[in-house]
Amino acid sequence: MSTADVSGKSLAELVSLKGRRAVVTGGGRGLGKAIAARLAEAGADLLIGDLDEGLAGAAAKELAERHGVRAVGAAMDVTDAAAVSAAADRALAELGGLEVWVNNAGIFPAVPLLEMTEETWDQVFAVNARGVFVGAREAARRMAAAGTGGVIVNIVSTAGFRGSAPGLAAYVGSKHAARGLTRELALELAPMGIRVLGVAPSFVPTEGNLAMAAAAGVNLADLPPTDLMLNSPIGRVGTPDDIARVALFCASDLSAFMTGSTLLADGGDTA
């Protein structure tokens, strides 16, 4: 099954997600919520999954009211394959289909290698790598069964291209895995009309990032500007919406001739 040639569509039609149904993991706040908001603005109906079902429900209610789409919140632990499968089934049952899946959920505890336990390593990979695998698998199974194709967007990181910072061995390893999965899944799923793309943000301050930094005893407000990437060619720190717009590009027909790539959304910091 090949993807359609969309050359005859207008720009408005290319960016529109009207009539499509999307799942965003880790979508209750921060980057995931920003991505869900742009998908909703483009017309997609949404299932927002999050460990915190209350956050997911509140985000769904807010976006449904703001953009006039259908949106539901669901408890989702991406390390639990049964929970991911149940959320995918719920999207089919309550939204009527599934054409877009965004693997956004991720964690990044900072632990020096010599102090890192196997449990910490395994947990990071369970969320950041296995979570991508399970989410992509469950999405692809349903997209393939429907026979209409779809798009899977994996939120990777600039850490999937290089070393990042001391203490992030598990995070860097897991994001390289997510980037590699993006390439391999694109090959495997192309015959089913399913495109797979990655988005690799640099550091973007979000509620989750700030909370994890605080838990590690780091106050980001006290760091020098260079540590927050203010010296990138763009000259500023990214915002969640900077990344959300790239995710929307990937999910929409604007990127219809792309699969397997991971797009750097980093203000030029990795150049």
Side-chain angles (χ1 to χ4, degrees):
M1 176 182 176
S2 62
T3 58
D5 177 2
V6 296
S7 302
K9 288 188 175 183
S10 68
L11 181 58
E13 290 171 322
L14 289 172
V15 76
S16 174
L17 297 179
K18 188 173 178 60
R20 300 185 200 183
R21 285 66 56 106
V23 170
V24 180
T25 73
R29 64 180 181 178
L31 185 54
K33 185 178 178 182
I35 292 170
R38 283 299 185 180
L39 299 184
E41 184 180 0
D45 296 322
L46 296 168
L47 183 141
I48 296 175
D50 201 281
L51 269 176
D52 188 326
E53 187 173 12
L55 279 178
K61 183 175 185 294
E62 176 188 336
L63 295 180
E65 292 174 351
R66 186 193 310 169
H67 298 295
V69 298
R70 292 178 295 167
V72 296
M76 186 195 296
D77 179 352
V78 298
T79 70
D80 181 348
V84 176
S85 180
D89 284 339
R90 188 173 173 189
L92 295 185
E94 298 193 29
L95 302 179
L98 178 58
E99 290 81 24
V100 178
W101 185 287
V102 181
N103 285 309
N104 166 73
I107 58 174
F108 59 100
V111 182
L113 179 66
L114 300 186
E115 301 170 18
M116 186 178 299
T117 65
E118 291 88 344
E119 290 77 16
T120 296
W121 177 275
D122 290 345
Q123 179 65 15
V124 173
F125 269 77
V127 176
N128 296 355
R130 195 179 73 207
V132 170
F133 149 65
V134 172
R137 182 188 66 188
E138 296 306 310
R141 283 175 172 173
R142 288 154 182 82
M143 292 173 182
T148 54
V151 184
I152 296 168
V153 181
N154 299 326
I155 305 304
V156 185
S157 168
T158 53
F161 287 80
R162 63 183 186 183
S164 184
L168 294 179
Y171 181 73
V172 170
S174 69
K175 290 301 185 177
H176 274 72
R179 182 182 169 209
L181 272 170
T182 299
R183 296 179 66 87
E184 175 60 25
L185 295 175
L187 290 174
E188 291 197 26
L189 300 178
M192 305 168 201
I194 300 170
R195 299 189 297 114
V196 187
L197 289 167
V199 177
S202 54
F203 176 82
V204 175
T206 65
E207 302 98 323
N209 289 347
L210 296 174
M212 286 188 179
V218 177
N219 183 354
L220 296 177
D222 293 338
L223 294 179
T226 52
D227 287 349
L228 288 181
M229 302 174 191
L230 292 179
N231 288 339
S232 71
I234 293 294
R236 65 172 174 84
V237 176
T239 68
D241 189 60
D242 285 324
I243 314 308
R245 296 192 304 273
V246 181
L248 172 59
F249 166 78
C250 292
S252 75
D253 287 343
L254 286 167
S255 62
F257 197 58
M258 296 178 66
T259 193
S261 300
T262 294
L263 286 69
L264 284 162
D266 66 344
D269 186 62
T270 313

